[in-house]
């Protein structure tokens, strides 16, 4: 596999400009701060191939649905992650010629993502057709300390000429989404202003009226000397504002433009406040100055790394991979706004409308549970609680009782439109129930069930109870016409995972109701009235639990992915001739559907979630059967297999799959990182270290570990929060677990119990 980025523990380094790889680099070099994000696009004009992207959390557009054949139940519109005002732009003119590196010779090109300090840096020398050589150095960040601020330091160094350069920093609201269904333009201008020093632009989305207002200010230096008087003018056009700064230069000058930007939205302020707030914010930033802003930003990143870094010794690629994943997760979601969620592409691309998939509950929640105060994970649950009414409407629309959460959503409404997924990939409902259990189990906050959780559980159980059908002859409940996590087969009957999670949800709902009845009787009575829950409903759930049908492959003693799976021709991935993988790029859809190849963990997803139910032999048989048939063409796949491989002691396999998940985007493994990064699977990467190599589990309120050291590493360490205590875990020749802060914790290592206190760390020989 060709490596485009040099390995380094904290940097992603691209050396030499390869236009055909630009979109991938732009994705990898994306920056974000939870409030907004930008792809690694260039500041100056670039007429080559590029996906320009500036995104604002929670700002979306309901694009009219486009389908081949309309089916009742499809949503009318599809929420698009929206490309908004481009605030990074700085056009450069050198002695009358516009700088465009697609039209120059470019030497010494470097684009670097500094993950330790959260900025992107770029440098190159451009030689234009007049043989003028110009060195450009730029550095930018989206402040973690003040999420509404972005700053760029852009330096132009004429190397062999004198004359005039023009710098034109701008705000451009005339941007488009590449994936717009009807090539529609989504934005309208509300207001703009431009004078010699300050430019302001306010744009509004059509239909929903989201507003984004940006203001910019700038300052110019030659080396360290501020240049006060420039010949400037401003430009004010439809959806576009700019300053035009003319500067006479000679060879060896170093002209630096510091561009300060504020970006505020009417999700946080009223429309009337936007201009005022935006101008005030940028003025504050300008007054602080570039260095002070950078320092505050870096110190926030220091805090983040202190909380959730994973160190790996002896393997730079693995180290770079895990840090890249953690870095991108921290950039995407900071957890302080319960209206937001974690989109599969975060702030790095447009693909996948909507923001919230089952990915959040099944993959991302564990990361936030263990690396942040519990209110952050709780916010992710509250997000779904707040969408419960919409999920009930969605179930009603399809003719069912209870609640069916959407496959993809922005505001609680479904915005996915392929019948085999929208209507059939209903296992997602189970992940939402499981997340409640996961939160309660990890944090010990059982009261959440009474306050919020059980309402969601009851409505999901009602849906399952209505969606099953009873087969009299077999005396079993069946779930027909579904798509399991393996999207390489649709409309199957009795997907083992779906049946398992449906039945488990009902069990957990009953258990939760019993607990509330016992511990919070007053709340229980109120809930019964609010939910109109009757005994006969619960009795029905019990009947379904006891008579659920689970397909099984008798001779192999493994769970059968779905009815009929064994009718397929059984071929292993390793026996596919070269050039077939990835099958989703090389095969027709029909061929994929008929094959035995599995896109992502399906039976294994169930074994991962309900791990304690199965003995090691069962887990091994299922892993040995399904892994060789899995092509891992969803980014969500390798991490789950890696965790189970670790559990089984398949260290080599666990490591191989870890690298695949950790470096998925850096190495463009699935040839699709040009669209944007796979953000949600990054939490899976974290799990494959902490749950996989570290063996973390929470059983009966006890934190358990069973760590091992992958052969190519000399050591690794991670930190986790557990019920407000912060623990550090280091694994090399010894396993050392220390309490960094918070109350004493009872831990279990390889089935031995220890009490961890501030003065008593646990140290075990690991040889
Ligand atoms: C996967 C789904 C996932 C979605 C978004 C698809 O390729 O098959 O399981 O929810 O991507 O990440």
């Amino acid at each position: 596999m060709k490596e485009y980025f040099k390995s380094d523990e904290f940097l992603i380094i691209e050396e030499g400009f390869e236009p055909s790889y630009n979109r991938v680099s732009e994705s990898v070099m994306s920056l974000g701060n939870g409030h907004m994000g930008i792809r690694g696009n260039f500041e100056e004009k670039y007429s080559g191939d590029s996906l320009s992207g500036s995104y604002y959390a929670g700002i979306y557009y309901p694009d009219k649905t486009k389908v081949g054949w309309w089916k009742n139940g499809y949503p009318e519109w599809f929420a698009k992650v929206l490309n908004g005002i481009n605030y990074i732009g700085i056009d450069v003119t050198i002695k009358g010629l516009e700088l465009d590196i697609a039209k120059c010779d470019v030497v010494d090109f470097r684009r670097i993502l500094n993950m330790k300090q959260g900025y992107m840096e770029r440098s190159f020398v451009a030689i234009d057709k007049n043989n003028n050589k110009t060195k450009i150095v730029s550095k930018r960040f989206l402040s973690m300390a003040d999420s509404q601020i972005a700053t760029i330091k852009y330096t132009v160094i004429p190397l062999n000429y004198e004359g005039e350069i023009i710098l034109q920093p701008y705000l451009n609201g005339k941007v488009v989404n590449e994936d717009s269904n009807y090539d529609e333009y989504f934005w309208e201008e509300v207001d703009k202003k431009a004078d010699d020093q300050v430019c302001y632009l306010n744009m509004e989305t059509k239909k929903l009226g989201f507003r984004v207002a940006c203001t910019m200010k700038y300052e110019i230096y030659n080396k360290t000397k501020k240049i006060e008087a420039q010949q400037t003018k401003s430009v004010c056009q439809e959806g576009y504002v700019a300053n035009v700064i003319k500067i006479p230069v000679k060879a060896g000058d170093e002209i630096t433009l510091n561009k300060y930007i504020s970006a505020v939205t009417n999700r946080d302020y009223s429309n009337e406040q936007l201009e005022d707030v935006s101008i005030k914010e940028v003025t504050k930033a300008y007054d602080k100055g570039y260095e002070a802003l950078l320092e505050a930003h870096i110190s926030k990143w220091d805090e983040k790394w202190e909380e959730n870094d994973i160190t790996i010794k002896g393997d730079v690629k693995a180290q770079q991979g895990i840090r890249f994943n953690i870095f991108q997760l921290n950039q995407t979601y900071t957890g302080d706004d319960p209206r937001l969620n974690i989109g599969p592409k975060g702030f790095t691309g447009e693909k996948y409308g909507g923001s919230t998939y089952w990915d959040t509950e099944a993959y991302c929640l564990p990361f936030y549970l263990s690396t942040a105060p519990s209110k952050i994970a709780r916010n992710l649950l509250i997000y779904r609680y707040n969408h419960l009414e919409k999920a009930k409407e969605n179930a009603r629309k399809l003719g069912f009782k209870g609640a069916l959460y959407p496959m993809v959503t922005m505001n609680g409404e479904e915005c996915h439109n392929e019948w085999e997924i929208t209507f059939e990939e209903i296992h997602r409902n189970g992940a939402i129930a499981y997340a409640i259990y996961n939160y309660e189990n990890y944090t010990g906050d059982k009261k959440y069930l009474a306050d919020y959780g059980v309402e969601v559980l009851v409505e999901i159980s009602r849906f399952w109870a209505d969606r099953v059908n009873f087969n009299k002859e077999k005396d079993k409940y069946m779930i027909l016409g579904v798509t399991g996590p393996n999207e390489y087969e649709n409309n199957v009957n009795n997907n083992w995972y779906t049946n398992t999670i449906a039945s488990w949800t009902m069990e957990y709902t009953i258990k939760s109701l019993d607990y509330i009845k016992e511990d919070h009787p007053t709340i229980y009575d109120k809930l019964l009235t609010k939910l109109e829950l009757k005994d006969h409903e619960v009795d029905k759930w019990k009947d379904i639990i006891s008579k659920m049908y689970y397909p099984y492959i008798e001779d192999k003693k493994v769970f059968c992915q779905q009815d009929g799976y064994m009718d397929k021709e059984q071929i292993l991935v390793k026996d596919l001739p070269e050039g077939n993988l990835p099958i989703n790029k090389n095969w027709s859809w029909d061929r994929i559907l008929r094959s035995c190849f599995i896109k992502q963990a399906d039976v294994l997803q169930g074994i991962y979630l309900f791990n304690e139910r199965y003995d090691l032999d069962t887990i091994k048989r299922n892993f040995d059967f399904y892994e060789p048939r899995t092509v891992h063409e969803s980014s969500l796949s390798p991490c789950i297999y890696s965790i189970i491989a670790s559990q089984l002691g398949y260290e080599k396999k666990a490591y191989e799959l870890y690298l695949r998940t950790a470096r998925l985007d850096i190495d463009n493994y699935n040839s699709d990182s040009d669209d944007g990064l796979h953000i949600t699977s990054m939490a899976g990467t974290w799990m494959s270290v902490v749950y996989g190599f570290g063996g973390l589990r929470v059983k009966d309120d006890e934190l358990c570990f069973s760590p091992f050291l992958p052969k190519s590493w000399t050591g690794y360490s991670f930190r986790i929060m557990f019920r407000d205590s912060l623990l550090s875990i280091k694994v090399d020749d010894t396993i050392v677990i220390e309490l960094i802060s918070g109350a004493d914790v009872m831990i279990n290592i390889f089935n031995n119990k220890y009490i961890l206190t501030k003065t008593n760390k646990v140290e075990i020989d690991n040889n």
Side-chain angles (χ1 to χ4, degrees), residues 344 352 357-359 407 425 485 487 599-600 634 636 680:
Y352 294 124
Y357 282 69
W358 71 302
D359 305 28
M407 185 66 199
E425 204 173 331
E487 292 178 344
K599 181 183 182 189
Q600 67 199 88
S634 158
L636 300 178
T680 45

